[in-house]
């Protein structure tokens, strides 16, 4: 297993470097094969998705999934699906059968069971795998919606989990560690001074849900200079 690659980009170049890194993999693929892109939510990736929508990409055979979702309707302001739809999906040609949002059903558990079934059908036999998993990092070190000191940290033999994080964050849907580890490439995109402690804790002290998380083939941490401020590793 290769060690994670850590790239520190100037804050002013972060979006550009993130876009270049995604495009290298999107455009370097075999067009005849399905390419499974797992999107991250939150605010960091929005600008990257907006640039991706304008980039010269062939979207043929690209399937879009999400690493996590808020348990809200797809048209809710907090929805990761809605953010990706507005920033990217409604601006590119992607047939609906290649877009795989988390289903928002009667309970988070049912939504997760359904997405686990879909993920198992797509990736269970190992023929195909998530090709590129985009991930963020919270100030508290969470990634996807695997939050510290919650039941989401348990290793469970399913790819998707639904639970209530706490009274403030409410119910969330997330890939489990097993689900995340299906990925060939994990690309963590972390920007901002408020993340610097979480980045150092994760990458240098091995603390937090994202510590040790690696793709099957490649793990890249693209961190801007602000979020890298507390890193002592050789950059
Ligand atoms: C979500 C994300 C989450 C996000 C981090 C960082 O649903 O919010 O998937 O894991 O990546 O919370 O969020 P920001 O990019 O907004 O800092």
């Amino acid at each position: 297993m290769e060690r994670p690659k850590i790239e520190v980009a100037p804050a002013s170049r972060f979006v550009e470097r993130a876009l270049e890194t995604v495009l290298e993999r999107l455009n370097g693929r075999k067009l005849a094969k399905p390419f499974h892109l797992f999107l991250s939510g939150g605010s960091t990736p929005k600008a990257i998705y907006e640039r991706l929508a304008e980039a010269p990409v062939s979207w043929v055979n690209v399937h879009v999934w999400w690493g996590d979702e808020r348990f809200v309707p797809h048209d809710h302001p907090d929805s990761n699906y809605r953010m990706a739809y507005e920033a990217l999906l409604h601006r590119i040609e992607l047939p609906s059968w290649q877009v795989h949002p988390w289903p928002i059903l009667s309970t988070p558990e049912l939504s997760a069971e359904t997405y686990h079934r879909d993920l198992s059908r797509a990736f269970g036999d190992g023929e195909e795998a998530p090709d590129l998993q985009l991930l963020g990092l919270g100030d508290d070190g969470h990634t996807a919606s695997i939050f510290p000191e919650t039941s989401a940290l348990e290793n469970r033999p399913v790819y998707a989990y639904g639970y209530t994080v706490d009274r403030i964050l409410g119910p969330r849907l997330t890939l489990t560690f097993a689900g995340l580890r299906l990925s060939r490439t994990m690309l963590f995109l972390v920007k901002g001074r408020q993340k610097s402690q979480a980045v150092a804790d994760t990458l240098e002290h091995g603390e937090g849900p994202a510590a040790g998380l690696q793709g099957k083939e490649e793990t890249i941490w693209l961190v801007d200079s602000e979020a890298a401020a507390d890193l002592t590793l050789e950059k």
Side-chain angles (χ1 to χ4, degrees):
M1 178 89 66
E2 269 185 45
R3 283 172 52 83
K5 175 189 162 203
I6 301 170
E7 176 183 340
V8 179
S12 60
R13 286 268 300 144
F14 178 79
V15 172
E16 199 63 38
R17 279 300 301 137
L19 179 68
E20 288 165 357
T21 307
V22 172
L23 287 177
E24 274 162 27
R25 281 144 192 84
L26 264 179
N27 291 333
R29 76 184 198 274
K30 292 188 178 66
L31 292 184
K33 272 174 59 51
F35 184 94
H36 298 280
L37 172 63
F38 278 65
L39 299 180
S40 174
S43 58
T44 301
K46 189 167 184 293
I48 301 161
Y49 299 164
E50 288 167 346
R51 293 289 307 281
L52 191 55
E54 298 151 4
V57 176
S58 160
W59 293 98
V60 69
N61 280 334
V62 174
H63 289 251
V64 171
W65 306 72
W66 278 259
D68 72 319
E69 185 54 282
R70 289 80 181 282
F71 187 68
V72 293
H74 287 154
D75 60 359
H76 189 281
D78 292 346
S79 164
N80 288 339
Y81 170 82
R82 174 172 162 174
M83 184 274 275
Y85 179 81
E86 289 174 348
L88 173 64
L89 297 178
H90 86 102
R91 301 166 61 192
I92 62 173
E93 293 295 310
L94 205 55
S96 58
W97 62 85
Q98 289 175 220
V99 180
H100 309 270
W102 286 78
I104 304 300
L105 305 174
S106 53
T107 65
E109 292 77 7
L110 191 55
S111 294
E113 277 168 33
T114 306
Y115 212 57
H116 166 77
R117 184 203 61 202
D118 297 346
L119 291 163
S120 302
R121 284 182 182 156
F123 309 115
D125 62 5
E127 283 291 298
E128 293 180 32
D131 295 279
L132 179 58
Q133 172 86 237
L134 305 184
L135 289 164
L137 190 75
D139 309 3
D140 60 359
H142 79 265
T143 193
S145 282
I146 303 177
F147 284 81
E149 296 165 34
T150 68
S151 58
L153 290 171
E154 287 155 33
N155 282 302
R156 37 180 53 82
V158 289
Y159 297 144
Y161 181 56
Y163 73 114
T164 294
V165 182
D166 58 28
R167 268 183 328 98
I168 298 156
L169 288 167
R172 289 283 186 106
L173 306 170
T174 186
L175 291 191
T176 59
F177 288 123
L180 290 171
R181 289 195 177 107
L182 290 169
S183 312
R184 290 196 171 98
T185 296
M186 274 188 198
L187 172 57
F188 288 89
L189 301 167
V190 192
K191 175 176 173 52
R193 189 76 175 81
Q194 75 281 14
K195 307 285 179 81
S196 62
Q197 188 58 57
V199 168
D201 289 347
T202 304
L203 291 178
E204 290 191 336
H205 314 311
E207 292 162 8
L213 255 188
Q214 294 195 4
K216 285 179 178 165
E217 296 168 13
E218 194 182 26
T219 308
I220 303 164
W221 283 77
L222 178 61
V223 185
D224 81 339
S225 45
E226 295 293 302
D230 294 339
L231 273 184
T232 54
L233 289 167
E234 66 286 346
K235 298 235 172 25

